[in-house]
Amino acid sequence: DQQVKQNSPSLSVQEGRISILNCDYTNSMFDYFLWYKKYPAEGPTFLISISSIKDKNEDGRFTVFLNKSAKHLSLHIVPSQPGDSAVYFCAASAITGANNLFFGTGTRLTVIP
Amino acid sequence: DAGVIQSPRHEVTEMGQEVTLRCKPISGHNSLFWYRQTMMRGLELLIYFNNNVPIDDSGMPEDRFSAKMPNASFSTLKIQPSEPRDSAVYFCASSLIQGARTEAFFGQGTRLTVV
């Protein structure tokens, strides 16, 4: 059973515009959330994270928003650049789960020049 | 630091053969994860070690899969016998868990093809 869901397998955005990637989770025990970026033939690399005590975390062009009541988080990339084209994975963990990371199925972002 | 190192990068084997994937975690990290990436399920956690001890292997799909971590700097994932449906990219990741949360660092993966 998929505890972390990314319902959009792909997203295309024009360069300079905002990219919004969405993620939903079902396990209310999750309290730490991460986004990873993956290029072809490479392993996922950490991008940004957020603890459940916050509702927003920002790092340069990347901002993650957390809505605990809706069990939803999103990643905003502003402005989008062609180099951002990659597969983005949402991940979550629970302190009671010994820090196992549960991943979604990923969203392929294409930024069009 | 060289990061998480996996070998081989690519493996092609015939159905029924034994396959062993290898991982060297980042030095000093105390947790190691094996993941499998498929189109349908994304990144699935197969097994998780903490301080070389298997903590959760509920993601291991069948008894054909086994994993070991004989010391802090080496882990293996073995499939015996292998089947075509095992074809996927297998990732190893490591992290340092010390109270505060931290991210896991991934290797470049092993692309396994079973024919």
Side-chain angles (χ1 to χ4, degrees):
Chain A
D1 186 28
Q2 201 77 16
Q3 299 188 56
V4 178
K5 300 177 183 179
Q6 294 176 258
N7 293 319
S8 298
S10 63
L11 174 68
S12 291
V13 173
Q14 289 286 338
E15 180 179 4
R17 306 295 288 268
I18 184 172
S19 296
I20 300 176
L21 296 95
N22 294 304
C23 177
D24 298 294
Y25 60 96
T26 57
N27 189 340
S28 58
M29 298 301 292
F30 287 149
D31 62 350
Y32 188 61
F33 304 89
L34 308 89
W35 284 94
Y36 280 78
K37 181 166 73 172
K38 185 183 179 305
Y39 292 118
E42 294 184 11
T45 55
F46 169 74
L47 190 57
I48 192 170
S49 64
I50 187 168
S51 165
S52 60
I53 62 174
K54 295 184 175 182
D55 55 18
K56 176 183 175 182
N57 189 26
E58 190 172 352
D59 183 2
R61 297 186 297 112
F62 303 90
T63 302
V64 56
F65 295 92
L66 175 62
N67 182 333
K68 290 185 289 295
S69 61
K71 295 192 179 65
H72 177 83
L73 66 156
S74 61
L75 174 68
H76 292 209
I77 307 173
V78 181
S80 301
Q81 299 174 354
D84 297 330
S85 297
V87 177
Y88 289 79
F89 288 96
C90 170
S93 70
I95 191 72
T96 56
N99 211 43
N100 291 4
L101 281 177
F102 293 89
F103 283 84
T105 51
T107 296
R108 181 178 300 279
L109 173 65
T110 302
V111 180
I112 303 165
Chain B
D1 196 321
V4 176
I5 299 173
Q6 291 186 246
S7 64
R9 290 294 309 277
H10 303 273
E11 177 78 41
V12 181
T13 189
E14 291 185 347
M15 181 175 64
Q17 296 296 308
E18 176 182 304
V19 175
T20 299
L21 311 182
R22 297 172 175 79
C23 175
K24 182 182 186 320
I26 292 173
S27 177
H29 280 188
N30 59 4
S31 296
L32 184 139
F33 309 82
W34 281 100
Y35 286 89
R36 177 171 67 176
Q37 182 186 8
T38 62
M39 289 295 293
M40 290 298 295
R41 300 182 66 85
L43 284 163
E44 291 179 273
L45 177 66
L46 300 177
I47 187 168
Y48 157 56
F49 292 88
N50 185 249
N51 293 321
N52 312 338
V53 176
I55 302 299
D56 183 358
D57 66 353
S58 60
M60 297 286 259
E62 300 173 31
D63 291 345
R64 299 184 295 108
F65 285 70
S66 62
K68 294 182 180 179
M69 192 166 185
N71 56 62
S73 59
F74 184 66
S75 178
T76 59
L77 177 68
K78 183 182 293 186
I79 308 173
Q80 180 185 22
S82 58
E83 297 182 2
R85 59 194 169 119
D86 301 330
S87 298
V89 181
Y90 291 80
F91 289 102
C92 175
S94 71
S95 68
L96 175 62
I97 299 174
Q98 279 185 331
R101 295 301 185 79
T102 183
E103 68 272 19
F105 295 82
F106 282 77
Q108 291 188 298
T110 296
R111 180 174 293 277
L112 173 65
T113 303
V114 183
V115 298

